[in-house]
Amino acid sequence: MALLGIQLANIEVLSTAHRVLAPLVEPAIMGILNVTPDSFSDGGQYVDPAEAVDHALKMIEEGATIIDVGGESTRPGAAPVSELEELNRVIPVIKRLRSTSSIPISIDTQKPMVMAAAAQAGADMINDVSALTAPGALQVAHERGLAICLMHMQGSPVHMQDEPRYEDVVREVLDFLKARVAACVDAGIPRERICVDPGFGFGKTVAHNLKLVNDLSSFCALGVAVLIGVSRKSTIAKTLGKQHLLTGSLVTALMAVERGASVLRVHDVAETSAALTMWAAIRGAAL
Ligand code: 9MG
């Protein structure tokens, strides 16, 4: 991998200068760096920029090939934060990480202003759980030449788990993502820079989430990379019990990779990396 290279699982971002995704052999690991007081499972640990960057460096050592920095929790029921608060949380971390490492940095945000400031501070990618639907978001992504993750969510984090409903969850999520990819392409963003994500846990029941993972190969037909984040989520706790969150996260991630996922967004980088090495060894034996 080149010094400035980004790897995204079956995808490689050739350099932070080009930010082009092209086929690669092994799935990429996106390490989660939440700089919020209230995120899914690791909230509050990394509010200090120096500690946050130390944690990012540890994840890089363990095998992360992208770091996803987020300053607004998107867990069910989470309240939105102001633009200023979000900027104050993420920008010092991105600047510090950029000055320490050439790792590709993703900014997890829904706000165009935060996307632009993060790009200025050194971010390479936007991870947007609302799929660049905010006014001005497509324009920022295009103008800054960033890679993008478009995620599906039904509703918004505050109420999304109240009563998720679909007639056909796979078809509806696919249709939404197809339309968002088309909107990006129409805005001038090359397909090579786009990944899609079915949004495991975002306005979905346990049954919806399991079905989406089982049918993940349908999403590869969109012709762009597929990213998924299942790490430590409640569907896994509800299926196995909280004591088995790690095991469930690893099994679910590997089943997603078997079905074509190229990027895994995870908390447990070392364990995911080992699981992928085993997966790749078995696949290599079949060659
Ligand atoms: C920010 N965030 C939390 N969970 C996520 C998931 O599953 N996918 C993406 N792209 N982002 C997520």
Side-chain angles (χ1 to χ4, degrees), residues 40 68 74 108 127 129 149 151 197 200 202 227 229 233 265:
F40 277 121
D68 190 36
T74 51
D108 156 18
N127 172 27
V129 299
C149 176
M151 200 199 77
D197 180 339
F200 189 96
F202 283 83
L227 181 153
K233 289 200 178 159
R265 183 178 182 277

Side-chain angles (χ1 to χ4, degrees), residues 2 30 50 131 134 151 158 165 177 192 225 257-258:
M30 173 185 264
M151 200 199 77
V158 186
R165 271 172 201 267
L177 292 174
E192 294 76 20
V257 166
E258 275 291 316

